[in-house]
Amino acid sequence: MTGTVLTTRRVDAYHALTVVAPGIAERFRPGHFVGVAVGGPNTSMLTRRAFSVHDVKPDYGGTVEFVLSPRGPGTAWLAERRARDTLDLVGPLGRPFPLPRDPVTCVLVGAEYGSATLFTVADALQRRGCRVDFVLGAASADRVFGALRARRMGETTTLTTEDGSLGLRGRVTDVLPAVIADVRADAVYACGPMPVLRGVTAVAVELGIPVQVAVEERMACGIGVCMTCVLPVIGEDGVTRMVRSCVEGPVFRGERVRFDDVGTIPFDALGAPGGGTRHVG
Amino acid sequence: MSVDMRTYLGHVELANPVTTAAGCAASGSELAQFFDLGRIGALTTRSITMAPRAGRPTPRMAETPSGLLNAVGLQGPGVDAFLERELPWLAQRGVKTVVSIGGGTVAEYTALARRLTDAPGVTAVEVNLSCPNIEDRGRVFARDGAASAEVIASVRSVMRYEVPVVAKLSPDVLDIVSVARACVDGGADALSMINNPLGMSIDTEAMRPTLAAVTGGLSGPAIRPLAVRCVWQVHAALPSVPIIGMGGVLTGRDAFEFILAGACVVAVGTALFHDPYACLRVLRELEELLAARGFHRLADAVGLAHRPPGASTRHRIDLEESSL
């Protein structure tokens, strides 16, 4: 569908784009993402870029906002969009975050602009009576996304930067065990680069509380047809499968994702070369 | 004015010439969220293998100028799961299904074909010849006319007579016409081209190959001229063999180019990654283009670019009256 850019703004090191897209806003649930075409109709850039949705508002029939970090030519093109430009979007895509039925205490962990995803989650959790605490971090102060908003929404907000320019010096995983203990957290929600998710999952597993992670894997289609965004995930039956992070994810239970094996085909995965699950032709 | 878009793959009639390219539609249900699969001529499955396959490690994809490199490695659940879940799902919805099959040995292709023989809902079988031939030092079947023909002949011999066997050819060969001819001699009812040519990309930041598998198949508009050339050459040499043309079809105009070169069916692949509605859009645009040029039937445009230079477009009228 085609959406019109409503506003575009810089947020520290990032860009936030708000697009009028009623069809997406209507069906959106926290954790969903959108696939955005870049470069215009005659572009040489064929793959869509996937962005998690930061905010959904009812204005103009429904708007979605997503945050991007200009890195390559595609994101640079998006960063140059102005109000009234049109964008080609597909969404909402992926599986949203599961929410607890009871009012429990949740720690929301975000690294870099991964925290953009967390605010709709926080909103949904609070509407269910959950207590929400934030842990946000990045390499430097200008790369911590949403600190102000987290302070407004969360019971507590702990900030970390690797260079010490904001909050505590270190990474989100350094402070997470203490935060979980202090607030007596019942669950963890996390979004950010894969190494962070791996660390957050390790902490949550160690402390024995459930953890939901939204993974960041590069995608070409976002709708489950290209098979390029796979990662090894352990299924309910204990079998590891190479699953698509776009349609089976991007949200997974942290302990089910084999973070150490991302980028490989584990030998015991279903259909792995020479694996024990091969059928005899 | 409406155009008669019916086309024939062998003797199987398709309502229109648009299909998905193998490996670009997963199991079909993913695309069904966006449009009614029954509206396209046929759906081509990803290549089905005998055993479940986990594919290649990630990263599996790299964007290149007007193209996409991929190294998925035929990830799939294997033929049992395909016959149990995916094929019945498609059959229930009345989707014409071209089943792509892949294997490492002639025996594996044959065994796969045998499994498909009794399965209801198989419209055609497309033999993906771009798999490494385990018995021949990993040399790809499609590179060798004799090896390709052996696979095709074996699949043809076990497949029900009413199910066309389509040979999918690779452009990474010296002479695609000779491979095409060998496949037709081996019993192929139709040809499909082109499979992804091999490409490679290097990440200049990491100073390493971008894909985990180092090399991958290149798709998208970057390969369209290569694909049109292959379709042209093969249609010129074997004018009576139906051809499924594919390679970088993004618009109806692109599809029309393949049809003029000699394809009677056109597959949409990489475009689906960019636009899930691409098949229907290509079909609509193609029909509009044909109507705008005064065609009543799609069949009249197939291979039309082969007419001698200087012949006017009125030549088409003669074609209509000919036995073609």
Side-chain angles (χ1 to χ4, degrees):
Chain A
M1 66 169 294
T2 305
T4 306
V5 176
L6 192 64
T7 60
T8 160
R9 61 194 168 98
R10 291 279 315 240
V11 187
D12 299 324
Y14 308 112
H15 276 81
L17 256 76
T18 309
V19 187
V20 180
I24 298 174
E26 219 168 78
R27 290 175 292 145
F28 171 82
R29 280 162 64 199
H32 275 146
F33 66 95
V34 287
V36 186
V38 295
N42 296 313
T43 180
S44 73
M45 292 182 274
L46 295 181
T47 61
R48 282 176 183 266
R49 307 303 193 254
F51 297 102
S52 54
V53 174
H54 168 229
D55 220 347
V56 170
K57 290 208 179 94
D59 319 0
Y60 301 95
T63 64
V64 290
E65 183 174 49
F66 57 90
V67 178
L68 59 106
S69 175
R71 279 186 201 145
T75 39
W77 181 86
L78 276 174
E80 284 164 18
R81 293 308 92 200
R82 294 290 165 259
R84 287 191 290 278
D85 285 351
T86 54
L87 272 188
D88 177 355
L89 304 105
V90 176
L93 301 171
R95 287 195 184 180
F97 279 104
L99 301 171
R101 235 174 258 130
D102 306 312
V104 295
T105 300
C106 302
V107 175
L108 273 50
V109 187
E112 304 277 324
Y113 66 114
S115 23
T117 321
L118 298 176
F119 296 101
T120 54
V121 184
D123 196 41
L125 287 170
Q126 286 180 332
R127 269 188 272 127
R128 288 176 179 231
C130 293
R131 173 189 159 134
V132 171
D133 295 88
F134 284 95
V135 179
L136 307 182
S140 54
D142 66 330
R143 300 194 73 82
V144 178
F145 184 88
L148 264 179
R149 195 163 171 205
R151 282 200 176 113
R152 279 205 304 270
M153 289 185 87
E155 289 288 325
T156 67
T157 297
T158 312
L159 305 174
T160 66
T161 48
E162 279 164 46
D163 63 359
S165 54
L166 180 71
L168 303 165
R169 183 186 293 269
R171 295 160 194 246
V172 286
T173 41
D174 299 337
V175 300
L176 186 59
V179 173
I180 290 176
D182 287 350
V183 306
R184 297 211 182 94
D186 301 300
V188 175
Y189 289 83
C191 189
M194 292 299 247
V196 175
L197 300 182
R198 173 183 167 182
V200 169
T201 299
V203 169
V205 168
E206 174 80 29
L207 298 173
I209 59 173
V211 53
Q212 298 285 346
V213 298
V215 299
E216 286 183 4
E217 248 320 312
R218 281 198 65 199
M219 302 169 184
C221 73
I223 58 167
V225 292
C226 78
M227 308 297 291
T228 61
C229 62
V230 298
L231 69 176
V233 173
I234 305 165
E236 299 262 332
D237 52 2
V239 177
T240 297
R241 293 182 180 80
M242 300 305 294
V243 309
R244 296 163 291 184
S245 57
C246 61
V247 288
E248 272 107 336
V251 176
F252 294 101
R253 279 172 59 183
E255 71 273 18
R256 292 220 184 267
V257 181
R258 293 175 61 170
F259 287 106
D260 292 339
D261 297 317
V262 169
T264 71
I265 304 291
F267 74 93
D268 57 342
L270 181 70
T277 50
R278 273 185 91 83
H279 291 210
V280 178
Chain B
M1 186 191 72
S2 70
V3 181
D4 181 357
M5 297 296 278
R6 282 176 302 170
T7 190
Y8 288 86
L9 193 59
H11 58 272
V12 173
E13 185 185 295
L14 303 179
N16 64 65
V18 174
T19 175
T20 61
C24 298
S27 62
S29 56
E30 291 85 353
L31 283 180
Q33 300 174 57
F34 295 95
F35 66 91
D36 174 8
L37 297 176
R39 289 176 63 188
I40 55 175
L43 181 124
T44 306
T45 68
R46 59 177 167 230
S47 290
I48 307 302
T49 51
M50 206 65 201
R53 278 178 67 102
R56 308 301 290 260
T58 53
R60 290 177 168 185
M61 168 282 273
E63 195 179 58
T64 59
S66 296
L68 184 69
L69 276 170
N70 81 85
V72 171
L74 302 188
Q75 182 177 347
V79 70
D80 292 337
F82 173 73
L83 290 176
E84 209 172 288
R85 291 195 297 269
E86 298 179 11
L87 187 60
W89 188 92
L90 290 163
Q92 274 165 20
R93 280 153 188 80
V95 180
K96 290 247 163 95
T97 306
V98 178
V99 181
S100 170
I101 56 172
T105 60
V106 177
E108 204 175 335
Y109 280 107
T110 317
L112 271 164
R114 201 168 274 130
R115 294 295 306 277
L116 293 172
T117 311
D118 302 325
V122 180
T123 299
V125 169
E126 185 180 85
V127 185
N128 178 0
L129 292 165
S130 293
C131 299
N133 181 349
I134 296 170
E135 287 162 350
D136 186 16
R137 302 171 309 246
R139 222 171 103 132
V140 173
F141 284 101
R143 301 242 175 102
D144 180 38
S148 298
E150 198 186 339
V151 173
I152 296 295
S154 183
V155 169
R156 182 65 278 175
S157 69
V158 297
M159 195 41 76
R160 284 200 318 268
Y161 73 95
E162 75 266 27
V163 176
V165 172
V166 187
K168 183 154 183 185
L169 309 180
S170 161
D172 288 342
V173 289
L174 273 179
D175 179 9
I176 195 162
V177 173
S178 70
V179 180
R181 195 170 270 132
C183 288
V184 172
D185 290 345
D189 303 285
L191 299 166
S192 137
M193 64 192 89
I194 57 173
N195 209 321
N196 297 162
L198 264 192
M200 185 176 169
S201 148
I202 293 176
D203 181 340
T204 49
E205 287 296 317
M207 298 186 275
R208 292 261 318 131
T210 314
L211 299 175
V214 182
T215 59
L218 181 62
S219 66
I223 66 163
R224 196 191 317 131
L226 176 57
V228 172
R229 182 267 293 175
C230 290
V231 171
W232 173 278
Q233 287 181 332
V234 171
H235 182 76
L238 305 161
S240 60
V241 179
I243 294 174
I244 308 177
M246 68 202 71
V249 174
L250 289 189
T251 65
R253 197 211 67 88
D254 305 338
F256 191 44
E257 197 180 348
F258 275 101
I259 284 165
L260 291 172
C264 60
V265 176
V266 177
V268 178
T270 310
L272 289 168
F273 303 165
H274 182 87
D275 174 12
Y277 303 96
C279 284
L280 290 189
R281 182 175 47 76
V282 166
L283 177 59
R284 190 187 66 235
E285 289 171 357
L286 174 63
E287 190 170 357
E288 282 166 8
L289 274 177
L290 287 165
R293 282 158 183 71
F295 287 93
H296 299 286
R297 304 188 314 171
L298 167 88
D300 297 336
V302 173
L304 193 67
H306 287 264
R307 70 186 187 280
S312 74
T313 41
R314 294 227 170 259
H315 190 67
R316 190 171 67 231
I317 307 298
D318 305 333
L319 275 177
E320 262 176 25
E321 288 163 0
S322 79
S323 58
L324 282 172

